[in-house]
Amino acid sequence: GDNGVSVWVSCALVYAAKWMSELAKFAGKEFDCTLYLEIAETMTKRINDHAWDGQWYIYAFDKDCQPIGSKLNIEGKLHLNVNTWSIFAGIAAAAGRELQVWNSLGQLDTPFGHRLLMPPYTDVSAEEVGRIADIAPGMTENGSIYMHGEAFYLYALAYANKPDEWHKQVQKSLLGNLIPDISSAPIHQQSTSFVGPDHENYGLNMYTNFSGSLAWCRKTIEKIIGVLPEYKGLLIDPKAPTSWDGYKIKRRIRGTDVHVNFVKGKKFKVKLDGKQTD
């Protein structure tokens, strides 16, 4: 388009199209199901053909088709969101690039979670990226550990069946694990971000009870726990960390309270109302 294109949003289109294809199939709308699958497959190929930077996915292209979030850029070479979405949208897997993406994401890791991008922008890149270059390096969208983006990373770990790594990483963003001079916030609240390493207040947790991350955090926890409603029933698919010996949950699903007790064992077995099932 005249204003450029976001590869991250293109990944989101693939992700949404796959979900819509499943819904259309369930509803008996075969034409719609095929259409959505074609959209997902076409966009996956376009992203892999045009937005791969050798080790990670490019974040966007400007109106002149120049890359943003590329090794060719002076600043903002590597972005978190487009690469996490490439994992759970299945785009990286389609090209056999998952390991390269995970390795690149490791460059963004900090003791508080993952930076949204690196290196941060300054006025050198103002014309290229817009208002984000006016934000101090390391603050909010310009290279902080932004919790909405970290929630996408945690979901990618759950999607990729990496529960032990998820358990390790999720600890970093829990305010109860931080000493008071870093975060004076109530431990039950979540913040929008931690100040990134390019700012003098690195690690400070500035805004409490203010984040768009909670829905994705819940989505991730549900995937790890593994009691998931489907169109025709209930999926039991635990992805618990190896350090968990067991856990119990209660979920209200379609008007029914479902109580599930998970216990670590040598092989997967299910009992329903006390009776063994196949």
Side-chain angles (χ1 to χ4, degrees):
D2 293 340
N3 296 319
V5 61
S6 166
V7 180
W8 175 25
V9 173
S10 299
C11 291
L13 174 60
V14 172
Y15 182 72
K18 288 181 176 180
W19 276 106
M20 290 301 296
S21 70
E22 291 187 17
L23 178 59
K25 183 177 181 180
F26 174 73
K29 298 181 180 294
E30 293 300 325
F31 175 83
D32 291 341
C33 178
T34 301
L35 174 63
Y36 287 125
L37 283 176
E38 288 177 351
I39 290 172
E41 290 171 1
T42 298
M43 289 305 301
T44 294
K45 186 175 187 306
R46 288 177 179 174
I47 293 167
N48 277 319
D49 286 349
H50 302 291
W52 180 246
D53 204 40
Q55 295 296 324
W56 60 77
Y57 286 94
I58 295 167
Y59 184 72
F61 293 90
D62 67 16
K63 59 183 177 60
D64 298 317
C65 297
Q66 295 303 304
I68 298 171
S70 163
K71 62 187 178 184
L72 301 177
N73 299 121
I74 299 172
E75 300 170 337
K77 294 176 181 289
L78 174 59
H79 284 245
L80 178 66
N81 290 344
V82 65
N83 286 286
T84 53
W85 279 71
S86 78
I87 294 290
F88 58 77
I91 295 163
R97 294 168 173 163
E98 293 163 295
L99 181 59
Q100 290 166 289
V101 172
W102 284 117
N103 288 340
S104 296
L105 288 170
Q107 298 181 47
L108 298 170
D109 199 11
T110 79
F112 306 98
H114 291 73
R115 303 163 69 181
L116 201 55
L117 58 89
M118 65 175 285
Y121 293 106
T122 69
D123 56 4
V124 172
S125 300
E127 183 178 353
E128 177 184 345
V129 300
R131 75 168 186 86
I132 193 172
D134 295 326
I135 300 172
M139 295 293 288
T140 59
E141 291 97 332
N142 195 14
S144 76
I145 297 93
Y146 205 78
M147 293 316 303
H148 207 155
E150 183 68 359
F152 296 151
Y153 179 83
L154 294 172
Y155 183 74
L157 289 173
Y159 173 88
N161 198 22
K162 296 177 178 288
D164 289 337
E165 184 64 18
W166 168 83
H167 193 236
K168 171 186 173 183
Q169 293 292 337
V170 77
Q171 305 297 320
K172 297 180 179 180
S173 61
L174 299 179
L175 301 188
N177 290 338
L178 303 178
I179 56 178
D181 61 337
I182 293 177
S183 177
S184 59
I187 62 174
H188 66 281
Q189 294 184 359
Q190 184 58 282
S191 169
T192 186
S193 62
F194 294 89
V195 177
D198 299 282
H199 193 279
E200 62 182 355
N201 293 322
Y202 174 38
L204 186 65
N205 188 274
M206 298 183 66
Y207 306 104
T208 60
N209 201 24
F210 177 64
S211 176
S213 66
L214 298 186
W216 279 89
C217 288
R218 178 187 173 99
K219 180 180 176 72
T220 300
I221 291 170
E222 289 177 344
K223 195 165 188 67
I224 290 290
I225 288 172
V227 180
L228 304 166
E230 296 188 311
Y231 294 127
K232 292 185 178 181
L234 188 65
L235 175 66
I236 305 297
D237 183 25
K239 300 181 183 297
T242 54
S243 61
W244 291 8
D245 291 327
Y247 54 96
K248 297 179 181 180
I249 73 161
K250 182 183 81 170
R251 287 203 63 174
R252 187 164 182 81
I253 299 174
R254 295 170 189 148
T256 300
D257 287 336
V258 179
H259 300 260
V260 187
N261 181 22
F262 292 90
V263 179
K264 183 187 291 186
K266 294 182 179 179
K267 63 180 182 178
F268 187 78
K269 296 188 298 183
V270 177
K271 289 184 178 181
L272 179 62
D273 295 334
K275 297 180 181 179
Q276 187 69 41
T277 63
D278 294 332

